[in-house]
């Protein structure tokens, strides 16, 4: 959802910006730009489309200089174009600004500035910031920025440079992520911790309402009141190499990392005694659990809901997509726990819900992948999923790890509350230990699924079906397929199809069914017979590959390893991830950067 980066140092700044932007491109990729300060003049290059367009432009028209800011955009206000690309320059070209977020009161500010004769060159909300800062400037750059920021409403991470400060980048954070870091003779700002791994070994994570003045080898942090703030430096530990290596794309790489990510998550959860860090007395008292997330993270939450309902029957569980949760009159009291799930920990809808719950005095626990994220920072408790950097817009390994960590939490909670026996708990622990190897076996379906995709990638419409826990995986499989292949796809609880949607089933429609729960095979068979009778092509993902009914009805069977049923969604999702990947690949889609999307959605 827009990525920003800034550099000051001895190297050619525009080169560093391009390298950094490539790591940030997953945050938005409809235009990019760079502003370089050299000899008291700011020069800007901006290009619609992918970063490679900007890179080519800079090869032809290089920008010399050692201080620069850059931006990669996911359009909100103003269509993707060169003009609407960042950075924006102020009216007397003294300031350049890059912005991630939304300035809610930009129209009001724009009118005021236009009345003063300022001419705007874009349709964006962000341009107002550049002009406003210059308008506020009375000779003290830091003061001008703080005065301008005091007038802004909304969410913003800003990178600002000024002709008066040839070695300094100003970084401002409110509700959108921003990291700063320095080496002996360099300074960086960036939206994302992973993008700085190449350059830095430690970083400072800004909190809301903080500004940093970043120079060569030094960073000072201030509150929006201008008061200096002492900040801790966080060491960067690369869990996975976030370069592509020999893989075709990040989604391919990240699916291959599922087994190692699961191993790491299990080890971390146990060795760090993550569950014991949550207040036991509180956990025993909980009467209600809300689960909130978006997209893939929400689907992991729906799985968590099924587990909680099964193993902690005396707790009311309510799961909801974050964008709706905040409008519901959801109950939050001292015996309610709200669990937010998020890969990035920055998704605005989810973060807003977390804040809303905290503001009402409720406790929050986040299941998250990014330790330095806002969600981890502001939650009462955090369980890290340790999936390692996820760069592809389509989430894969994070989903498997979110499900895993949710399951481990539920088993611990059930043991604590006495709703499972120590023997059952030990059985689940052993089954959890077996998951990474089972994930490896499921990934061995690659070849079969690649051939399957070659035969099926022209399908116009696909339905994913499942019952019980399988329904959560059906939803995730369906989201993944439509997201990267642009094929129309829907997920249905298998029993619900006959109440209307069955009307859409005809010849050439592809139906993918998840059948991992033994007691549901017969019921699933009835639903599958209904679609088969209407001419659909049927693919079944199941560990019961020799079941005569399934063998009889399926056109394709994707066999997955037998897994403890309550854990099967962690494995059964893998063929759906592979199917999406190979189908999108067969269609020639840009897998890591699907159209209209961005990885980290930091606007509501
Ligand atoms: C789909 C996908 C999205 C995210 C959603 C929430 O593949 O990645 O649906 O799951 O935008 O993002 P996080 O988990 O970062 O809160």
């Amino acid at each position: 959802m827009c990525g920003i980066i800034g550099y000051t140092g001895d190297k050619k700044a525009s080169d560093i910006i391009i390298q950094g932007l490539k790591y940030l491109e997953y945050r938005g990729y409809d235009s990019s730009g760079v502003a370089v300060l050299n000899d008291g003049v700011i020069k800007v290059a901006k290009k619609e489309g992918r970063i490679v367009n900007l890179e080519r432009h800079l090869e032809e028209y290089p920008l010399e200089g050692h201080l620069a800011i850059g931006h990669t955009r996911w359009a909100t206000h103003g269509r993707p174009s060169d003009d609407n690309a960042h950075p924006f320059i102020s009216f007397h070209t003294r300031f350049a600004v890059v912005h991630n977020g939304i300035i809610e009161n930009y129209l009001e500010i724009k009118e005021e500035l236009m009345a003063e004769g300022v001419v705007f060159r874009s349709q964006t909300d962000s341009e107002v910031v550049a002009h406003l800062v210059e308008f506020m400037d009375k000779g003290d750059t830091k003061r001008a920025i703080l005065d301008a920021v005091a007038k802004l409403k909304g969410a913003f991470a800003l990178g600002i440079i000024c002709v008066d400060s040839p070695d300094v980048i100003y970084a401002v954070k409110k509700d959108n992520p921003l990291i700063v870091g320095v080496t002996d003779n360099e300074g960086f700002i960036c939206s994302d911790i992973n993008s700085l791994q190449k350059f830095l070994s430690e970083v400072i994570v800004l909190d809301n309402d903080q500004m940093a003045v970043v120079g060569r080898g030094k960073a000072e942090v201030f509150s929006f009141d201008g008061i200096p703030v002492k900040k801790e430096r966080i060491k960067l530990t690369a869990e996975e190499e976030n370069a592509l290596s020999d893989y075709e794309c990040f989604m391919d790489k990240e699916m291959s990392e599922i087994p190692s990510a699961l191993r790491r998550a299990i080890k971390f959860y146990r060795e760090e005694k993550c569950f014991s860090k949550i207040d036991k007395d509180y956990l025993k008292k909980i009467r209600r659990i809300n689960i909130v997330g978006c997209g893939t993270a929400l689907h992991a939450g729906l799985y968590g809901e099924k587990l909680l309902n099964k193993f902690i029957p005396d707790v009311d569980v309510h799961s909801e997509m974050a964008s709706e949760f905040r409008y519901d009159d959801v109950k939050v009291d001292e015996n309610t726990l709200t669990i937010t799930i998020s890969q990035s920990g920055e998704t605005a809808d989810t973060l807003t819900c977390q804040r809303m719950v905290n503001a009402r005095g409720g406790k929050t626990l986040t299941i998250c992948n990014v330790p330095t994220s806002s969600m981890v920072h502001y939650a009462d408790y955090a369980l890290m999923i340790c999936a390692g950097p996820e760069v592809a817009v389509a989430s894969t390994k994070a989903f498997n790890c979110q499900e895993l960590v949710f399951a481990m939490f539920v088993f611990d909670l059930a043991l604590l509350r006495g709703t499972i026996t120590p023997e059952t708990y030990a059985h689940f622990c052993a089954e959890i230990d077996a998951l990474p190897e089972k994930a490896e076996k499921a990934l061995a379906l690659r070849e079969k699924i690649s051939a399957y995709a070659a035969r099926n990638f022209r399908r116009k419409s696909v339905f994913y079906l499942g019952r019980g826990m399988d329904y959560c995986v059906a939803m995730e499989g369906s989201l993944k397929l439509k997201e990267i292949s642009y094929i129309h796809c829907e997920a249905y609880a298998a029993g619900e199809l006959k109440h209307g949607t069955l009307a859409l089933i005809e010849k050439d429609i592809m139906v993918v069914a998840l059948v991992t729960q033994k007691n549901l095979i017969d019921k699933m068979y009835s639903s599958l017979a209904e679609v088969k009778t209407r001419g659909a092509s049927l693919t079944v993902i199941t560990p019961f590959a020799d079941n005569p009914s399934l063998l009889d009805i399926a056109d394709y069977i994707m066999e997955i390893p037998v897994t403890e049923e309550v854990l099967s969604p962690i494995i059964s999702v893998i063929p759906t991830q592979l199917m999406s990947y190979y189908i999108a690949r067969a269609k020639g889609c840009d897998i890591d950067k699907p159209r209209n999307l961005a990885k980290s959605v930091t606007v509501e």
Side-chain angles (χ1 to χ4, degrees):
M1 190 74 16
C2 296
I4 67 181
I5 183 160
Y7 172 78
T8 178
D10 287 336
K11 301 193 182 105
K12 186 175 170 188
S14 60
D15 286 352
I16 302 288
I17 297 295
I18 291 290
Q19 283 181 50
L21 284 180
K22 283 184 180 165
Y23 284 102
L24 289 174
E25 197 170 18
Y26 72 89
R27 298 179 68 88
Y29 33 85
D30 55 43
S31 61
S32 60
V34 58
V36 183
L37 173 59
N38 195 21
D39 280 343
V41 178
I42 297 175
K43 290 196 177 147
V44 174
K46 317 203 265 194
K47 280 284 149 210
E48 188 184 335
R50 300 290 162 90
I51 286 160
V52 66
N53 298 356
L54 177 67
E55 191 175 19
R56 285 197 198 115
H57 177 84
L58 287 171
E59 275 159 23
E60 214 173 323
Y61 306 100
L63 290 180
E64 301 303 330
H66 301 283
L67 175 80
I69 49 176
H71 187 270
T72 183
R73 180 169 187 247
W74 184 79
T76 55
H77 298 57
R79 66 181 178 84
S81 69
D82 289 358
D83 285 344
N84 288 334
H86 301 219
F88 293 105
I89 295 284
S90 60
F91 49 91
H92 284 145
T93 64
R94 299 187 54 247
F95 291 86
V97 171
V98 285
H99 168 221
N100 169 31
I102 290 185
I103 308 296
E104 285 165 5
N105 58 339
Y106 82 102
L107 281 175
E108 204 178 291
I109 299 173
K110 189 169 178 175
E111 272 168 29
E112 282 172 27
L113 290 168
M114 283 169 74
E116 297 288 340
V118 174
V119 177
F120 280 77
R121 294 184 187 83
S122 78
Q123 287 86 50
T124 66
D125 53 333
S126 311
E127 190 182 354
V128 296
V129 183
H131 300 307
L132 186 63
V133 175
E134 178 152 347
F135 198 73
M136 293 290 178
D137 185 25
K138 311 277 182 289
D140 175 348
T141 308
K142 188 179 127 212
R143 188 68 264 153
I145 292 170
L146 289 174
D147 288 347
V149 162
K151 282 188 144 269
L152 302 177
K153 289 194 185 133
F156 42 88
L158 302 168
I160 304 176
I161 56 174
C162 171
V163 290
D164 297 337
S165 321
D167 283 328
V168 171
I169 313 159
Y170 298 89
V172 177
K173 170 180 155 102
K174 181 173 182 284
D175 289 342
N176 272 329
L178 201 52
I179 317 284
V180 307
V182 293
T183 64
D184 285 350
N185 200 27
E186 293 174 304
F188 294 85
I189 71 161
C190 194
S191 302
D192 168 346
I193 205 156
N194 297 325
S195 312
L196 291 182
Q197 261 175 23
K198 191 168 180 336
F199 309 110
L200 296 169
S201 56
E202 52 181 29
V203 293
I204 295 168
V205 181
L206 294 185
D207 283 337
N208 273 343
D209 302 339
Q210 288 184 343
M211 150 191 230
V213 181
V214 184
R216 291 172 174 230
K218 113 172 193 209
E220 292 171 311
V221 180
F222 303 89
S223 67
F224 280 2
D225 303 327
I227 298 163
V229 181
K230 225 176 146 29
K231 298 285 294 185
E232 178 199 353
R233 292 186 181 210
I234 295 172
K235 288 227 170 320
L236 293 181
T237 47
E239 283 165 328
E240 304 272 5
E241 173 57 45
N242 73 350
L244 208 42
S245 315
D246 291 334
Y247 291 95
E248 281 189 14
C249 64
F250 279 103
M251 184 178 177
D252 184 19
K253 172 173 184 277
E254 286 156 12
M255 288 188 301
S256 305
E257 289 167 354
I258 292 169
S260 59
L262 290 173
R263 266 185 208 105
R264 190 169 48 238
I266 296 168
K267 188 164 179 274
F268 184 86
Y269 184 93
R270 290 184 182 153
E271 285 183 2
E272 295 297 315
K273 302 195 178 356
C274 295
F275 185 75
S276 338
K277 292 179 182 152
I278 310 173
D279 179 351
K280 295 268 161 334
D281 293 335
Y282 168 67
L283 286 173
K284 283 185 193 158
K285 275 195 321 206
I286 293 172
R287 287 283 156 264
R288 183 182 167 86
I289 296 182
N290 299 316
I291 303 170
V292 188
C294 303
T296 291
L298 174 66
H299 299 152
L302 297 177
Y303 165 64
E305 179 180 26
K306 302 253 182 220
L307 287 180
L308 285 164
N309 281 333
K310 192 173 173 66
F311 292 110
I312 328 273
D314 56 341
V315 169
D316 284 341
V317 188
H318 167 77
S319 67
E320 182 68 279
M321 55 191 88
S323 54
E324 289 297 316
F325 180 86
R326 52 184 312 218
Y327 305 113
D328 290 352
D329 235 351
V330 191
K331 282 190 219 112
V332 173
D333 60 24
E334 74 271 18
N335 294 330
T336 304
L337 173 67
T338 298
I339 301 180
T340 56
I341 309 187
S342 175
Q343 186 284 128
S344 62
E346 301 293 350
T347 300
D349 288 323
T350 315
L351 193 54
T352 307
C353 295
Q354 190 177 289
R355 289 204 177 107
M356 184 180 92
V357 169
N358 282 138
R360 289 198 207 161
K363 288 236 186 296
T364 53
L365 179 155
T366 190
I367 296 179
C368 189
N369 194 30
V370 181
T372 52
S373 64
S374 306
M375 253 175 252
V376 172
H377 187 80
Y378 293 109
D380 294 294
Y381 307 108
L383 295 176
M384 301 316 303
I385 63 167
C386 305
E390 199 180 61
V391 176
V393 165
S395 185
T396 53
K397 61 177 178 170
F399 178 75
N400 306 74
C401 291
Q402 285 162 345
E403 289 186 309
L404 167 79
V405 170
F406 211 137
M408 292 175 89
F409 167 73
V410 173
F411 299 148
D412 273 328
L413 187 62
L415 184 68
L416 179 78
R417 292 174 68 113
T419 51
I420 58 172
T421 62
E423 292 71 33
T424 308
Y425 180 81
H427 164 72
F428 287 147
C429 287
E431 290 295 325
I432 282 170
D433 286 334
L435 287 172
E437 209 180 310
K438 290 183 182 175
E440 266 154 21
K441 290 200 176 118
L443 283 167
L445 283 168
R446 266 180 187 278
E447 220 170 290
K448 182 170 179 178
I449 291 179
S450 168
Y452 165 88
R455 284 197 293 278
N456 287 290
F457 75 95
R458 289 193 185 83
R459 302 268 178 198
K460 293 276 177 281
S461 199
V462 178
F463 287 81
Y464 270 83
L465 303 181
R467 285 174 190 257
M469 297 210 173
D470 289 337
Y471 177 45
C472 313
V473 177
M475 281 193 276
E476 177 54 13
S478 162
L479 174 67
K480 208 90 319 171
L481 183 65
K482 69 185 122 195
E483 180 181 15
I484 60 168
S485 75
Y486 317 138
I487 294 174
H488 165 257
C489 188
E490 288 183 50
Y492 263 82
E496 183 64 13
L497 199 71
K498 58 186 177 293
H499 298 290
T501 310
L502 193 59
L504 293 177
I505 303 294
E506 56 182 347
K507 191 170 169 299
D508 288 338
I509 297 279
M510 180 160 122
V511 172
V512 181
L514 281 299
V515 188
T516 72
Q517 320 285 299
K518 206 169 203 151
N519 63 333
L520 294 177
I521 296 180
D522 292 346
K523 287 275 180 288
M524 275 305 285
Y525 181 78
S526 313
S527 308
L528 301 186
E530 288 159 14
V531 299
K532 195 65 202 275
T533 310
R534 271 114 194 143
S537 155
L538 181 60
T539 304
V540 176
I541 298 172
T542 184
F544 313 116
D546 51 5
N547 178 285
S549 315
L550 296 178
L551 275 174
D552 173 53
I553 202 165
D555 295 293
Y556 304 95
I557 291 209
M558 301 298 166
E559 184 177 2
I560 52 170
V562 177
T563 308
E564 160 58 56
E565 289 193 4
V566 295
L567 294 169
S568 71
I570 301 168
I571 301 302
S572 64
V573 74
I574 292 173
T576 74
Q577 294 164 332
L578 292 170
M579 279 156 69
S580 309
Y581 169 70
Y582 283 107
I583 287 175
R585 186 168 171 258
K587 284 190 75 180
C589 298
D590 185 343
I591 291 173
D592 282 345
K593 299 186 190 77
R595 68 188 182 204
N596 306 340
L597 300 177
K599 177 115 188 117
S600 184
V601 188
T602 54
V603 293
E604 283 176 53

